[in-house]
Amino acid sequence: MLTAENTQEWMNKFYLKIEQNKDYLSELDTPIGDGDHGNNMMRGVEGVKQGLAQLQDPDLKTVLKTIAMGLISKVGGASGPLYGTAFLEMAKKSSDTQDINQLIDVALAGIKKRGGATEGDKTMIDVWSPVAQNDTITQQVIDDAIASTKDMLARKGRASYLGERSIGHLDPGAVSSGYLFTALLETEGTL
Amino acid sequence: MLTAENTQEWMNKFYLKIEQNKDYLSELDTPIGDGDHGNNMMRGVEGVKQGLAQLQDPDLKTVLKTIAMGLISKVGGASGPLYGTAFLEMAKKSSDTQDINQLIDVALAGIKKRGGATEGDKTMIDVWSPVAQNDTITQQVIDDAIASTKDMLARKGRASYLGERSIGHLDPGAVSSGYLFTALLETEGTL
Amino acid sequence: MKKIINEPQNAVPEMVDGLVRAYPQYLERIPGSEAMVRSDKDSMIGKVGIVSGGGSGHEPSHAGFVGKGMLSAAVAGQVFTSPTPDQIYAAIKAADHGKGVFLVIKNYSGDVMNFDMAKDMAELDDIKIKSIIVNDDIAVEDSLYTQGRRGVAGTVLMHKLVGAAADQGASLDEIEKLAKAALPHISTIAVALSAATVPEVGKPGFTLADDEIEYGVGIHSEPGYRREKIKSSKKLVSELLAKINQEQHLDPKHQYAVLINGMGATPLMEQYIFSHDLLDQLETQNIKPVFMKVGNYMTSIEMAGISLTVFELADSTWLKYLNYPVETIAW
Amino acid sequence: MKKIINEPQNAVPEMVDGLVRAYPQYLERIPGSEAMVRSDKDSMIGKVGIVSGGGSGHEPSHAGFVGKGMLSAAVAGQVFTSPTPDQIYAAIKAADHGKGVFLVIKNYSGDVMNFDMAKDMAELDDIKIKSIIVNDDIAVEDSLYTQGRRGVAGTVLMHKLVGAAADQGASLDEIEKLAKAALPHISTIAVALSAATVPEVGKPGFTLADDEIEYGVGIHSEPGYRREKIKSSKKLVSELLAKINQEQHLDPKHQYAVLINGMGATPLMEQYIFSHDLLDQLETQNIKPVFMKVGNYMTSIEMAGISLTVFELADSTWLKYLNYPVETIAW
Ligand SMILES: Nc1ncnc2c1ncn2[C@@H]1O[C@H](COP(=O)(O)OP(=O)(O)O)[C@@H](O)[C@H]1O
Ligand SMILES: Nc1ncnc2c1ncn2[C@@H]1O[C@H](COP(=O)(O)OP(=O)(O)O)[C@@H](O)[C@H]1O
Ligand SMILES: [Mg+2]
Ligand SMILES: [Mg+2]
Ligand SMILES: [Mg+2]
Ligand SMILES: [Mg+2]
């Protein structure tokens, strides 16, 4: 169950993972993209951190909306609107439920709607979707989902310009989404 | 004594020397100039060759003037007007005399007037001047004159921008002038 | 990486600052943003606003085309990264003078989504918005099931068209119609000799050997369709023109505009030589362009290379729009 | 050498051909030469002609500045090599409309001598000729006993001044007076990040390590005054501005025009960042330029680097001349 507190903890952990893997994410984005995913996500988690720091005793909805706005206004590129929409949808839904599974479901629906991609297109959806489908999120589910993008042929995003040559590379947005869910796993009292 | 015939032979020999040493001249022009002296001179001797080929039974004055026009209209850069002026002055003087020493004297005066440089400025003058001063031109005179430019500090032309750093390099225009006089030496019946 | 910059993460804000302060007669920075609006505000009154933008690194695009007769405002994202919706929204607000705002978007998932979100925000303010998604790069096969083609140098011609129409008082609907009609007639194809280095990344997006080139590269180091040994300008022109012919079937009965675009580090000398070979080869097809531009218009930082854009002027008003006078830094 | 060219020795004629055919509305090639004259001949009638030129490799200089309000004709020599007198003479003839011709010459021995010979030829035709020898590069110490300072990017500002004056009907003597008065107020200094490769030479004029820069380099790979490790844009600006200050003693009581000039391969992004740092540092001296340009105006083929030109507007008409409208490809 998400709360205002554990969601902030989740974001702290996500921040650290992005910070640590910034260069790796940009490297993943080089052969099949434009090499900026690490920098984009770093700006995003910085924005989220700054936004959250300004809140006093916020409720869950405010926390989720602040996360969304931080991501939308700082990331840019393709991943900004997608991550931003995910948290915006979670914020909306959080009036009805704090259940993490239900929240991930609406987030995934938002990502699909915003970007028009679906499972198997070699995007972050290929991590969000297996995580959403499994009742219990495990590191195994996450890792398998990330790894599954390697053999896919990209049909959306920059990697799609490569056609066949996109095969054999992990999708950077899938990897950063993996960090998001690992951070969630590590956050006490979320699941 | 210069004649229409041996002057044309002289130019043939000069052509071959420039052709053979084009890259070397440009290399000499690289550390203390702009690396084009070989290409400039090559265009010039091509122009001279073409010009001379169109003459039918010319007199010496016409030959010298044709050489001058070929150099002036094809070389460009600093060396074009200087070599061109040299042959233009020789052409003018050839109405009075065909004596090679007297012709070189007026050519040298033309070069000095056109470029404003004098002996010791590390230019082609430092080859033309010793050659003009010696009653008999020898390869030794030419070689010594070329070599003397190595230790000079350039005060005219592009090399002058280097100041002290121009010391230690041969002057490219001195070297190409050396080829001109070696070609003259090798031309039967000129001296 | 050898660049005249300070901290890489400050490259964009410093660049925007240096640009607007150098050219206050054309540009004004929208406070708190990396978006710029026309200084000559009077020239926008009563007219549809035209907003474009995208990642930075394509200078003089897009701010260089802000001015009377062309763009009303431009947004500069991070290098090679779509700007965020709030910035685009700020540009839309500044460009709106009651007649609505037309967005020129290049077909990248990031740009499309961020402009979309900005559009949603602006529509909440009752600003009428229409847009065109430019996808002129014929290097990549088009398909309904993929991202589709990229927007590249042809975008600048689109700016010129819609900017001229807006300045002459065209309505938002008319501008949309014009843009939609022109779009399929604009085709671009590029060849790269070297890659660009994004300041924050610090190394080139791809590596080509000293004698290698790549056809079909995008303006963000996206890969092209073939790598080869360097060829003469004549042969490069043949290759690119063949691709254009496959797409457009150039026909002497039609009129064409041509844009030869330097990618950043390629000197004008090479662009003019390319122009010579292109015009020679078009002549063998009995085609003589009625409008031409050669220079750096949509660059990829310091990438070396050239793109060729051919625009079939299927409507006679389009040439007038291309020739319509503008007051900008870079057109 | 990786260039979009054909045979290196044809680079200049092909470039000139590609340029005039792309821009027939501005330029016409003078038959049998690599000289170009304004197409809009009517705009030259009754006015002093302005002729400039020099070696090729500095594009858009000089032909890019041919047009109403600026140059009447331009001559393109071989790459980095002064054009020959016959070519300059052809340009003078084409530019003369009875009021005389003014020559803008950069201070290189080759240019000076070739223009001089052309002048002699033109004077035989009773064409009145005056000229200015531009020597704005403050990198090299000036001296009566040497070649003196080189002519570099400041030459473009000289073109603008005399072109505007000529278009407004100034006489040959007035134009000479204007040029002589303005010359000592124009100072330029450059920094290079990499060298240019002349097509016929095939290798760069000098080599800098991956982290090295050189201050004071000329536009033909002439050496500068110091080599160092690459610095931040702020520090490059400090160095160059200090040199300018030594020369001109910038003073808030005066008005200044500034030209930031890219050397060919340096992207506008870096030039705008340099602009940001320059304007910041000028501000600490309480100086705000009243006229500014940032872009590639006097390049050195594909050299990477920037030059900074500061022009003290000691006479109030000079700013008007700089702002006077022109019709050229590149101003
Ligand atoms: N249409 C889309 N739907 C879902 N995810 C997408 C889509 N387009 C791109 N992505 C994701 O975004 C990631 C790239 O993000 P990023 O590099 O930050 O943006 P950009 O591609 O604009 O440079 C991809 O790895 C992919 O996971
Ligand atoms: N003022 C001058 N007087 C005499 N010779 C000169 C002068 N300036 C240059 N030179 C000669 O010209 C040579 C360079 O010629 P070149 O490389 O063809 O022309 P540029 O210097 O214009 O590139 C120098 O090596 C020098 O010998
Ligand atoms: Mg990316
Ligand atoms: Mg030389
Ligand atoms: Mg990106
Ligand atoms: Mg030269």
Side-chain angles (χ1 to χ4, degrees):
Chain A
M1 208 187 74
L2 277 191
T3 63
E5 292 70 36
N6 64 24
T7 303
Q8 294 184 66
E9 195 190 326
W10 177 20
M11 286 303 115
N12 287 337
K13 293 194 194 297
F14 186 43
Y15 180 100
L16 294 172
K17 290 200 194 300
I18 294 295
E19 191 180 38
Q20 220 169 4
N21 295 288
K22 191 184 110 178
D23 292 344
Y24 173 59
L25 289 173
S26 287
E27 262 163 46
L28 287 175
D29 196 30
T30 300
I32 59 166
D34 56 354
D36 62 357
H37 190 57
N39 292 313
N40 292 350
M41 292 307 296
M42 194 64 223
R43 277 198 313 278
V45 293
E46 281 288 0
V48 168
K49 194 180 185 178
Q50 280 170 24
L52 292 177
Q54 277 162 19
L55 301 179
Q56 284 183 347
D57 245 338
D59 57 12
L60 177 59
K61 187 171 185 171
T62 308
V63 169
L64 289 167
K65 202 183 148 195
T66 304
I67 296 168
M69 294 317 291
L71 294 167
I72 290 171
S73 68
K74 293 295 172 198
V75 179
S79 47
L82 293 166
Y83 273 108
T85 300
F87 279 90
L88 212 54
E89 293 300 322
M90 289 199 247
K92 284 192 213 160
K93 186 75 180 176
S94 68
S95 316
D96 303 344
T97 177
Q98 294 180 251
D99 177 68
I100 185 69
N101 288 313
Q102 288 190 46
L103 292 172
I104 291 177
D105 283 347
V106 294
L108 171 60
I111 292 174
K112 285 185 169 180
K113 185 152 179 249
R114 175 63 64 200
T118 185
E119 285 80 6
D121 285 352
K122 195 182 183 102
T123 68
M124 59 174 71
I125 289 172
D126 295 308
V127 165
W128 283 79
S129 185
V131 164
Q133 272 157 36
N134 280 274
D135 285 343
T136 27
I137 310 176
T138 63
Q139 191 58 44
Q140 193 61 46
V141 168
I142 299 168
D143 290 345
D144 289 351
I146 293 173
S148 77
T149 64
K150 186 159 186 172
D151 293 334
M152 291 177 185
L153 185 153
R155 269 188 293 263
K156 282 279 143 66
R158 264 175 225 288
S160 69
Y161 304 128
L162 277 133
E164 299 282 329
R165 284 175 291 168
S166 66
I167 296 172
H169 300 276
L170 291 176
D171 175 64
V175 174
S176 64
S177 295
Y179 295 142
L180 181 74
F181 291 118
T182 303
L184 181 68
L185 270 185
E186 292 170 358
T187 305
E188 266 185 285
T190 47
L191 301 177
Chain B
M1 210 185 74
L2 276 190
T3 63
E5 292 70 35
N6 64 23
T7 304
Q8 293 184 66
E9 196 192 325
W10 176 20
M11 285 303 115
N12 287 337
K13 291 194 194 299
F14 186 43
Y15 181 97
L16 294 173
K17 290 201 193 301
I18 293 295
E19 192 180 37
Q20 218 169 8
N21 295 288
K22 191 184 109 176
D23 292 345
Y24 173 58
L25 289 174
S26 287
E27 261 163 45
L28 287 175
D29 196 31
T30 300
I32 60 165
D34 57 354
D36 61 358
H37 190 57
N39 291 313
N40 292 350
M41 292 307 297
M42 194 64 223
R43 276 197 314 277
V45 293
E46 281 286 1
V48 169
K49 194 179 184 177
Q50 281 170 24
L52 292 177
Q54 279 162 18
L55 302 180
Q56 284 183 346
D57 244 339
D59 57 11
L60 177 60
K61 189 172 183 169
T62 307
V63 169
L64 289 167
K65 203 183 146 193
T66 303
I67 296 170
M69 293 318 292
L71 294 166
I72 290 171
S73 68
K74 292 295 172 197
V75 180
S79 46
L82 293 167
Y83 273 106
T85 301
F87 280 89
L88 212 53
E89 293 300 323
M90 290 199 246
K92 284 191 215 162
K93 186 75 180 175
S94 67
S95 316
D96 304 344
T97 178
Q98 292 181 251
D99 177 67
I100 184 70
N101 287 313
Q102 289 189 47
L103 292 172
I104 291 178
D105 283 348
V106 296
L108 171 60
I111 293 175
K112 284 185 171 180
K113 184 150 178 249
R114 174 65 63 202
T118 185
E119 286 80 5
D121 284 355
K122 196 183 183 101
T123 69
M124 58 175 70
I125 290 173
D126 295 309
V127 166
W128 282 79
S129 185
V131 165
Q133 271 156 38
N134 280 275
D135 286 343
T136 27
I137 310 176
T138 63
Q139 191 58 44
Q140 192 62 47
V141 168
I142 298 169
D143 289 346
D144 288 352
I146 293 173
S148 77
T149 64
K150 186 158 185 173
D151 292 335
M152 292 177 185
L153 185 152
R155 270 188 293 264
K156 282 279 142 68
R158 261 174 227 289
S160 69
Y161 304 129
L162 278 134
E164 299 283 331
R165 283 175 290 168
S166 65
I167 296 173
H169 300 276
L170 292 177
D171 175 63
V175 175
S176 63
S177 296
Y179 296 142
L180 181 73
F181 292 117
T182 302
L184 181 67
L185 270 185
E186 292 170 359
T187 305
E188 266 183 284
T190 47
L191 301 177
Chain C
M1 177 177 59
K2 208 179 193 180
K3 283 181 190 282
I4 302 176
I5 56 170
N6 299 300
E7 291 304 314
Q9 66 271 26
N10 296 336
V12 174
E14 289 182 357
M15 168 180 87
V16 169
D17 179 83
L19 174 59
V20 297
R21 283 163 79 191
Y23 291 104
Q25 69 273 43
Y26 295 108
L27 295 177
E28 223 171 69
R29 189 174 187 155
I30 300 173
S33 82
E34 257 86 72
M36 288 154 276
V37 63
R38 204 185 284 186
S39 309
D40 171 16
K41 301 250 167 13
D42 285 355
S43 71
M44 297 194 285
I45 292 169
K47 292 168 188 168
V48 170
I50 309 285
V51 171
S52 186
S56 291
H58 308 305
E59 296 67 33
S61 288
H62 302 83
F65 303 118
V66 169
K68 182 165 163 40
M70 219 162 157
L71 303 180
S72 312
V75 201
Q78 290 294 317
V79 181
F80 288 1
T81 301
S82 165
T84 56
D86 50 317
Q87 304 252 334
I88 303 166
Y89 171 62
I92 293 173
K93 295 268 280 188
D96 176 49
H97 288 78
K99 301 282 172 184
V101 173
F102 189 76
L103 309 179
V104 182
I105 308 166
K106 292 194 288 315
N107 189 32
Y108 300 97
S109 24
D111 289 64
V112 171
M113 290 188 274
N114 284 290
F115 273 81
D116 237 40
M117 291 181 90
K119 185 181 159 194
D120 291 350
M121 291 159 90
E123 281 169 350
L124 285 179
D125 294 345
D126 289 324
I127 301 177
K128 281 174 290 167
I129 308 274
K130 301 250 178 194
S131 60
I132 187 85
I133 297 179
V134 181
N135 60 348
D136 56 315
D137 188 349
I138 61 171
V140 180
E141 263 323 299
D142 203 4
S143 150
L144 265 182
Y145 308 102
T146 65
Q147 197 57 51
R149 289 174 165 176
R150 302 175 292 230
V152 289
T155 310
V156 178
L157 300 180
M158 184 59 81
H159 293 158
K160 187 68 180 70
L161 283 189
V162 297
D167 199 58
Q168 289 172 74
S171 71
L172 189 59
D173 286 339
E174 286 164 345
I175 291 173
E176 187 193 31
K177 217 177 127 193
L178 164 68
K180 280 195 172 158
L183 186 64
H185 298 286
I186 306 177
S187 306
T188 301
I189 181 81
V191 59
L193 278 68
S194 74
T197 296
V198 173
E200 284 197 85
V201 176
K203 45 191 180 202
F206 56 91
T207 333
L208 288 171
D210 274 355
D211 60 351
E212 261 182 352
I213 56 163
E214 185 163 333
Y215 296 112
V217 166
I219 55 174
H220 312 95
S221 305
E222 295 98 340
Y225 61 84
R226 197 167 80 238
R227 242 174 226 213
E228 277 190 358
K229 297 278 167 210
I230 175 89
K231 295 268 175 315
S232 68
S233 169
K234 283 188 214 314
K235 290 200 174 134
L236 296 181
V237 166
S238 302
E239 169 76 26
L240 301 189
L241 196 54
K243 281 268 167 190
I244 298 269
N245 264 306
Q246 266 172 39
E247 178 77 17
Q248 289 212 13
H249 308 287
L250 303 184
D251 184 334
K253 289 196 293 293
H254 298 156
Q255 289 202 313
Y256 295 95
V258 164
L259 172 66
I260 294 175
N261 175 59
M263 304 304 296
T266 288
L268 283 173
M269 176 185 286
E270 297 175 34
Q271 300 180 40
Y272 294 144
I273 291 173
F274 185 95
S275 159
H276 159 82
D277 293 318
L278 176 74
L279 291 169
D280 272 1
Q281 294 184 32
L282 283 174
E283 215 165 78
T284 68
Q285 291 188 255
N286 285 314
I287 288 167
K288 197 175 169 216
V290 293
F291 178 94
M292 243 184 115
K293 281 249 174 202
V294 187
N296 298 354
Y297 292 90
M298 178 69 76
T299 63
S300 182
I301 325 180
E302 80 283 52
M303 180 159 115
I306 270 182
S307 71
L308 168 62
T309 302
V310 175
F311 175 21
E312 189 206 322
L313 301 170
D315 185 313
S316 63
T317 59
W318 299 351
L319 180 58
K320 285 185 202 137
Y321 288 142
L322 288 178
N323 283 317
Y324 187 77
V326 296
E327 291 165 23
T328 66
I329 297 168
W331 173 254
Chain D
M1 177 176 59
K2 207 181 194 179
K3 284 181 190 281
I4 302 176
I5 56 172
N6 300 299
E7 292 305 312
Q9 65 271 27
N10 297 335
V12 174
E14 289 182 357
M15 168 180 87
V16 169
D17 179 83
L19 174 59
V20 297
R21 283 162 80 191
Y23 292 103
Q25 70 275 41
Y26 295 108
L27 294 177
E28 226 171 67
R29 189 174 187 156
I30 300 174
S33 81
E34 257 87 73
M36 289 154 275
V37 62
R38 204 185 282 183
S39 310
D40 171 16
K41 301 252 170 6
D42 286 354
S43 69
M44 299 195 284
I45 292 170
K47 291 168 189 168
V48 170
I50 310 285
V51 170
S52 186
S56 290
H58 308 304
E59 295 69 33
S61 288
H62 302 82
F65 303 118
V66 169
K68 182 165 163 39
M70 219 161 157
L71 302 180
S72 313
V75 201
Q78 290 294 318
V79 180
F80 288 2
T81 301
S82 165
T84 55
D86 50 315
Q87 304 252 332
I88 303 166
Y89 172 63
I92 292 174
K93 296 268 281 188
D96 176 50
H97 287 78
K99 301 283 171 185
V101 174
F102 189 77
L103 309 179
V104 181
I105 308 168
K106 293 194 286 318
N107 189 34
Y108 300 96
S109 22
D111 290 63
V112 171
M113 290 187 275
N114 284 291
F115 274 81
D116 238 38
M117 291 182 90
K119 187 182 158 193
D120 291 352
M121 292 161 90
E123 280 170 349
L124 285 178
D125 293 346
D126 290 325
I127 301 177
K128 282 174 289 167
I129 308 275
K130 301 251 177 193
S131 61
I132 186 86
I133 298 179
V134 181
N135 61 348
D136 57 314
D137 188 350
I138 61 171
V140 180
E141 263 323 300
D142 202 3
S143 150
L144 266 183
Y145 308 101
T146 65
Q147 197 57 50
R149 287 173 167 174
R150 302 175 291 231
V152 289
T155 310
V156 178
L157 300 180
M158 183 59 81
H159 293 157
K160 187 68 181 71
L161 283 189
V162 297
D167 200 57
Q168 289 171 76
S171 71
L172 189 58
D173 286 340
E174 286 166 345
I175 290 172
E176 187 192 31
K177 218 177 125 193
L178 163 67
K180 281 195 172 158
L183 186 64
H185 297 287
I186 306 177
S187 307
T188 301
I189 181 83
V191 61
L193 279 67
S194 74
T197 296
V198 173
E200 283 197 86
V201 176
K203 45 192 180 201
F206 56 90
T207 332
L208 289 170
D210 274 355
D211 60 350
E212 261 182 352
I213 55 163
E214 184 163 333
Y215 296 113
V217 167
I219 56 173
H220 311 95
S221 304
E222 295 98 341
Y225 62 83
R226 199 167 77 239
R227 240 173 228 216
E228 277 189 0
K229 297 276 166 213
I230 174 91
K231 296 267 174 316
S232 68
S233 168
K234 283 188 215 314
K235 289 198 175 136
L236 297 181
V237 166
S238 302
E239 169 75 26
L240 301 188
L241 197 53
K243 281 268 166 192
I244 298 270
N245 263 304
Q246 265 170 39
E247 179 76 15
Q248 290 213 10
H249 309 288
L250 303 184
D251 184 333
K253 287 195 295 294
H254 298 155
Q255 288 201 314
Y256 295 95
V258 164
L259 172 66
I260 294 174
N261 175 59
M263 304 305 296
T266 288
L268 283 173
M269 177 186 285
E270 297 175 34
Q271 299 180 41
Y272 294 145
I273 291 173
F274 185 95
S275 159
H276 160 82
D277 293 318
L278 176 74
L279 291 169
D280 272 1
Q281 294 183 33
L282 283 174
E283 214 166 79
T284 67
Q285 291 188 254
N286 284 313
I287 289 167
K288 199 175 169 215
V290 293
F291 178 93
M292 244 185 115
K293 280 248 175 203
V294 187
N296 297 355
Y297 292 90
M298 178 69 77
T299 62
S300 183
I301 324 180
E302 80 283 53
M303 180 160 116
I306 270 184
S307 72
L308 169 62
T309 302
V310 175
F311 175 21
E312 189 207 322
L313 302 169
D315 184 313
S316 63
T317 58
W318 299 350
L319 180 59
K320 283 185 203 137
Y321 288 142
L322 289 178
N323 283 317
Y324 186 76
V326 296
E327 290 165 25
T328 67
I329 298 167
W331 174 255

